[in-house]
Amino acid sequence: DHFSLTVNAATPRFDWIKPVSVLGADRWGTLILAPYLDVNARITPAPGVNLADSTRGFGDLTVGNGLHWTLGDYQMVNGLDVVFPTGSFDAARLVNLGLNHWTVRLNHVGTWFPRPDWEISYGLRWDYNFENTDTHYTTGQVGYGELTAAWLPTPELRLGVIGVAMQQLTGDAGPGAPSGGNKTR
């Protein structure tokens, strides 16, 4: 075992939704995500060298707002989230609870109900990451998408498949960034 990482998370999500009439939208929503994490890592980079670290506490807080439209059998939400660097961070640690940088996330999600017992949903997101003020490292901008097809045999049960794709659109920058930019996918 050269590398082991275990993350246990309890992530409460608080949603507040209010009826509105703005730009044709029928609802305004606000969300707060406050993850509580228990992170344990162990790595053996060379024979006889064993590194281990663990930490527990609240991670980075996400606050978002969005508008919801109902258009017949199609619904969509356009929103903006901000990830606050509230989780503890120490550049000398093997694991951290936070990333120590702000992120602004644009969201566009939609669901189509072609029949009452079927749904097709998608999500498109774009993250703009700011510089980590301790390390002066900036992770590039990331785009990702999700596609879901589900059958609803009862109102309480959904059976489906989900696909996720992610592509870092701009390279990382700052001390230690690899040449070419380290584009995750």
Side-chain angles (χ1 to χ4, degrees), residues 92-157:
R93 289 200 69 158
L94 183 61
V95 294
N96 285 287
L97 297 173
L99 297 174
N100 200 44
H101 68 75
W102 294 80
T103 299
V104 174
R105 176 175 301 126
L106 298 175
N107 301 290
H108 171 73
V109 296
T111 298
W112 173 49
F113 296 95
R115 294 181 18 185
D117 58 344
W118 281 94
E119 76 173 54
I120 308 293
S121 297
Y122 67 90
L124 301 171
R125 293 171 173 70
W126 176 69
D127 285 2
Y128 184 90
N129 296 300
F130 290 85
E131 180 181 293
N132 178 318
T133 54
D134 287 348
T135 63
H136 302 290
Y137 194 91
T138 303
T139 302
Q141 299 174 35
V142 179
Y144 44 105
E146 306 149 10
L147 183 61
T148 303
W151 173 54
L152 293 69
T154 71
E156 298 82 24
L157 179 64

Side-chain angles (χ1 to χ4, degrees), residues 2 44-50:
H2 298 291
T44 305
V49 178
N50 296 303

Side-chain angles (χ1 to χ4, degrees), residues 1-7 40-45 50-51 94-95:
D1 217 21
H2 298 291
F3 177 76
S4 172
L5 175 66
T6 303
V7 179
N40 297 285
R42 190 176 71 247
I43 186 169
T44 305
N50 296 303
L51 304 172
L94 183 61
V95 294

Side-chain angles (χ1 to χ4, degrees), residues 19-33:
V20 296
S21 181
V22 176
L23 302 172
D26 55 3
R27 285 175 264 174
W28 172 275
T30 298
L31 69 84
I32 298 173
L33 294 171

